[in-house]
Amino acid sequence: MNWIDINDQLPEDEQRVLAYIPKNKVFLPGKDLQFEIREVIVLRFLKDFYIDRPDKQEKHGLHFWQGEGNSNHFFADVTHWAPIPEGPSAV
């Protein structure tokens, strides 16, 4: 798999991708503030998310990464992304 640097290319708007987030902490349900490091997660890229919010743009960037569940991330959190591979073909 080839990872794509966000400075080189961005996904299509609303494309679900594998996102690489260095040292990303995921808190474990039912555990008192226990977490594990998951540096690769599935996110949806939202282009120009803060287009009408210059205050948010300045602080977080123009784009946004929408997560599944409670895993939203600001644009700068993700360093690389890759297309989600296709699953096996049905036989």
Side-chain angles (χ1 to χ4, degrees), residues 45-64:
F45 177 70
L46 300 178
K47 182 178 179 180
D48 299 337
F49 185 76
Y50 289 124
I51 192 77
D52 296 326
R53 298 288 310 270
D55 57 324
K56 295 280 188 178
Q57 276 185 50
E58 186 174 329
K59 187 173 182 180
H60 303 298
L62 178 60
H63 313 299
F64 190 73

Side-chain angles (χ1 to χ4, degrees), residues 11-12 14-18 42-45 68 82-84:
E12 296 294 322
E14 297 195 23
Q15 180 180 356
R16 289 177 71 234
V17 299
L18 296 176
V42 174
L43 294 175
R44 182 180 310 273
F45 177 70
E68 297 174 342
I84 296 175

Side-chain angles (χ1 to χ4, degrees), residues 36-37 39 49:
E36 63 184 34
I37 300 296
E39 294 181 312
F49 185 76

Side-chain angles (χ1 to χ4, degrees), residues 61-90:
L62 178 60
H63 313 299
F64 190 73
W65 299 98
Q66 181 182 41
E68 297 174 342
N70 292 326
S71 60
N72 291 337
H73 283 273
F74 292 115
F75 182 68
D77 295 347
V78 175
T79 63
H80 294 77
W81 66 276
I84 296 175
E86 291 185 28
S89 299

Side-chain angles (χ1 to χ4, degrees), residues 14-27:
E14 297 195 23
Q15 180 180 356
R16 289 177 71 234
V17 299
L18 296 176
Y20 182 79
I21 306 169
K23 300 178 184 170
N24 182 51
K25 292 180 181 178
V26 175
F27 289 91

Side-chain angles (χ1 to χ4, degrees), residues 26-32 34 38:
V26 175
F27 289 91
L28 303 172
K31 307 286 183 179
D32 188 30
Q34 293 181 19
R38 292 186 196 164

